Amino acid sequence: MRSKPQLKKAEIARRMVDFFNANPKEPVNYKQVSSVIGISSQADRLMVAELLEELTLEDFLIVVNHGKYRLKFARTILEGSFERRHNGKNNFIPDGGGNPVMVAERNAMYAMNRDRVRVQMLAKRRNAEPEAVVIEILRRAQDTVVGTLEVSKYYAYLIVDSKTLANDIFIPKEKLKDGKSGEKAVVRITEWPDDKSKNPVGEVVDVLGVVGGQHTEMHAILVEYGLPYRYPESVEKAAKKIPAKITGQDIEVREDFRNTITFTIDPKDAKDFDDALSLKQLENGNWEVGVHIADVTHYVMPGTIIDKEAAKRATSVYLVDRVVPMLPESLSNELCSLRPNEDKLCFSAVFELNDEAGIVNYRIVRTIINSDRRFNYDEAQEIIENTRQYPDGTIESAVLILDRLAKKLRDKRFHHGAINFDRVEVKFDIDENGKPLRVYFKEAKDSNKLIEEFMLLANKTVAEAIGKVAKGKKAKSFVYRVHDLPNPDKMANFVQFVRRFGYKLKDKGSTKDISKSINDLLDTVQGRKEQNLIEIVAIRAMAKATYTTQNIGHYGLAFPYYTHFTSPIRRYPDMMVHRLLERYLVGGRSVPEDKLEDDCKHCSNMENLAAQAERSSTKYKQVEFMSDKIGRVFDGVISGVTEWGLYVEINENHCEGMVPMRELTDDFYHFDDKTYSLIGQCNKHRYSLGDAVRIKVVRTNLEKKQLDFVLE
């Protein structure tokens, strides 16, 4: 009687596939394969022989001679970026797009998140997902990691916090920098071992503080994404040396708006005011509207240490409880900030608009302004909502006139196919120790939309001024903010998804028709329990906006030309645009496109990292907020479905947690990646995206930023 195999067939097959991928050229028989992959029982060796035949039929192997087999595969080498995942199923993202390729941890070669790598595609069995092995790390995204120190008498380790690296890091005692067990630290990796069984070696470069401390955790998030958490002293000193005095020569070359009604509208807690609006009625009855932007590049010269630091950062980072500025605070909050009752230098887009907000004329000029008042959004909103009539020529009447013009601009934008993504923001009330006391939802009101509309108008006009040229002429190299058409497959999935809620959506027809259909849907779901989820899925169906020299237009705004001009205090691309404008408006030659494109890619990458860090800080505060609510039951909606469980978002506070697969004990569930559902093997019960559920909070883990739920 044939003995029963000791190993499962799938495990033997996995070992064989790994062996042939690692040894593609040498022909071997079933005995040699068995010996190398650790198969000793006769039953398992017979299974190896059977699998050799199966793999040959699948065109994975070929028979060479005398029962010997080798890999049938043309090796493909690719370059791209590495994405580390918590579950060990890491991804390789090929250059030039294409689908992610799985890289198992054993094939990752110590690659860290966002590293640039060279991979070799592995041969795969029929119907299996493609896999790759990292063969070279071309460029490290960062050489520092953050984690918690574990110090003993003779040695120390950094227990790595996140998916940045799979291994803990050995630290010689003399390289601890006085770090102690339980403290979070930033460690630079100094030695990468060849042997996978060994740990990387590192040295402490900074001790952040005790685990759980407010500044400690926020700084740790920044380090995790390779973002700075403090400003170099040398840069701050250089910024403080910049002369604040505005000279007669500065004023002479500028248009003077100091006697025109001018004001700023910003969040209540803002300190950097980089845009202001002015209003004046012209003799012909039209309105002169000035969109005045802080003239940062007047103060920050190319190639200086301030400019180099700003270029490296590329953006300010907005965490849940703080701002990490792109520029030193002496510039961002003082010298460049358009504070009230102070003369300030600006780069401005000045429009002549008729009563229907039609552009009669415009000019892009350098100016000097003096803001009459600093409004926060609530104060401006109160003026807009108040039915009282204000005398002509007052600042309040100017707010109302600009609000009326902004609404006309907004209507035109939507008429031309812009998509209305007015998402509700989740915000926290935080005490002086950083503890979240309350979750609330911030909605964009008319005062927000007033500012937004004139910023959009300025950005669009600046892009057109440079990019829109006569037929047959080539536009000069420029920085565009582009947004591609939605991916057709993602849109088709979105259509199927909203049908489950009883909604219809077009994914065929003109871009204007599709945009109108999306807007109708977003209007319809306002105030309904599925609103937030549908808005999230709609955004996921869209392409990401990026910076580039290759203008393809902005789909979401329905603008053929668009750039970022209005926030140079917090975005480096806007500084780039200001410098290009200065050059081109006086007839300067086009700058080299290749260097500009590289800078655009860097800014897009940094923007993406800043957004990830912001989400991570919000997640941390959500877990902290829920930490005293263990055992409580909430209504929620399934916001994500994966092979390891269900993500559920709580309706009342938008905090998201997971119901792990192990908690679904009534059946064995498998993941259907076509419908994003978990389906019970016996009872056929289905859990799908958007389903309403009740959950109980069972665990909170601040270190992992993780909420665990069970279904009620």
Side-chain angles (χ1 to χ4, degrees), residues 608-627:
N608 185 39
L609 290 177
Q612 289 180 55
E614 182 184 348
R615 284 193 294 270
S616 192
S617 75
T618 301
K619 185 70 179 174
Y620 184 90
K621 287 298 168 194
Q622 287 179 332
V623 176
E624 191 176 3
F625 177 72
M626 295 297 292
S627 60

Side-chain angles (χ1 to χ4, degrees), residues 37 94 225 228 302 321 396 507 554 576 602 665 673 682 701:
I37 67 172
Y225 291 100
D321 66 340
E396 290 84 2
D507 63 339
H554 197 295
M576 292 161 64
H602 170 70
T665 55
D673 60 356
C682 301
N701 187 325

Side-chain angles (χ1 to χ4, degrees), residues 556-618:
L557 295 171
F559 289 158
Y561 300 87
Y562 190 66
T563 189
H564 272 170
F565 161 76
T566 54
S567 294
I569 287 176
R570 63 185 179 90
R571 294 187 305 225
Y572 196 76
D574 302 55
M575 288 178 61
M576 292 161 64
V577 164
H578 281 216
R579 285 173 179 153
L580 291 170
L581 276 174
E582 181 181 22
R583 180 188 181 104
Y584 295 160
L585 290 176
V586 294
R589 294 176 64 183
S590 185
V591 302
E593 194 172 276
D594 290 351
K595 171 68 168 65
L596 201 59
E597 184 63 27
D598 287 344
D599 292 341
C600 285
K601 282 179 182 170
H602 170 70
C603 290
S604 296
N605 289 339
M606 295 306 290
E607 176 189 45
N608 185 39
L609 290 177
Q612 289 180 55
E614 182 184 348
R615 284 193 294 270
S616 192
S617 75
T618 301

Side-chain angles (χ1 to χ4, degrees), residues 404-523:
R404 179 171 58 78
L405 293 170
K407 283 168 178 162
K408 291 183 182 296
L409 288 168
R410 189 174 174 84
D411 288 345
K412 287 178 186 179
R413 208 160 45 82
F414 291 141
H415 176 73
H416 286 104
I419 298 173
N420 185 12
F421 278 125
D422 278 340
R423 289 216 61 225
V424 171
E425 284 186 80
V426 179
K427 295 285 187 180
F428 295 91
D429 273 341
I430 292 173
D431 69 14
E432 64 275 8
N433 299 315
K435 183 176 171 57
L437 305 174
R438 179 177 75 96
V439 179
Y440 65 95
F441 306 123
K442 185 183 170 189
E443 211 170 334
K445 295 186 177 178
D446 287 342
S447 58
N448 303 80
K449 294 171 185 177
L450 184 166
I451 292 297
E452 177 190 34
E453 219 50 57
F454 283 106
M455 297 308 116
L456 291 176
L457 179 64
N459 288 333
K460 163 181 172 279
T461 303
V462 164
E464 285 177 348
I466 304 302
K468 203 171 181 180
V469 293
K471 197 172 180 181
K473 285 199 169 186
K474 187 176 181 340
K476 292 176 179 177
S477 302
F478 201 57
V479 175
Y480 296 97
R481 178 70 168 178
V482 303
H483 185 226
D484 207 348
L485 298 174
N487 178 293
D489 292 339
K490 286 185 178 180
M491 272 303 292
N493 290 339
F494 184 38
V495 169
Q496 293 300 319
F497 172 69
V498 298
R499 271 190 196 149
R500 297 181 58 252
F501 294 93
Y503 301 118
K504 288 184 179 177
L505 180 67
K506 284 185 181 178
D507 63 339
K508 301 284 190 298
S510 70
T511 55
K512 190 174 174 181
D513 289 341
I514 294 169
S515 299
K516 184 180 184 307
S517 183
I518 293 171
N519 282 336
D520 290 344
L521 170 69
L522 296 174
D523 285 343

Side-chain angles (χ1 to χ4, degrees), residues 86 160-162 184 211 217 224 616 619-620 623 662 700-708:
H86 286 295
V160 180
D161 271 3
S162 69
K184 284 217 165 169
V211 170
E217 297 302 336
E224 178 187 340
S616 192
K619 185 70 179 174
Y620 184 90
V623 176
R662 66 176 179 274
T700 60
N701 187 325
L702 268 173
E703 199 169 332
K704 292 183 178 177
K705 306 177 192 71
Q706 190 172 301
L707 288 171
D708 279 355

Side-chain angles (χ1 to χ4, degrees), residues 368-382:
I368 181 168
I369 70 163
N370 190 303
S371 173
D372 297 290
R373 182 164 169 190
R374 181 256 158 138
F375 288 106
N376 64 47
Y377 283 118
D378 291 340
E379 290 168 341
Q381 188 64 28
E382 200 175 318

Side-chain angles (χ1 to χ4, degrees), residues 36 57 71 81 113 145 156 193-194 229 242 303 339 361 385 391 408 422 448 503 589 622:
V36 172
L57 289 171
L71 199 64
S81 61
N113 207 29
V145 292
D194 296 327
Y229 55 93
I242 294 173
R339 301 189 299 192
N361 225 322
E385 290 178 2
K408 291 183 182 296
D422 278 340
N448 303 80
Y503 301 118
R589 294 176 64 183
Q622 287 179 332

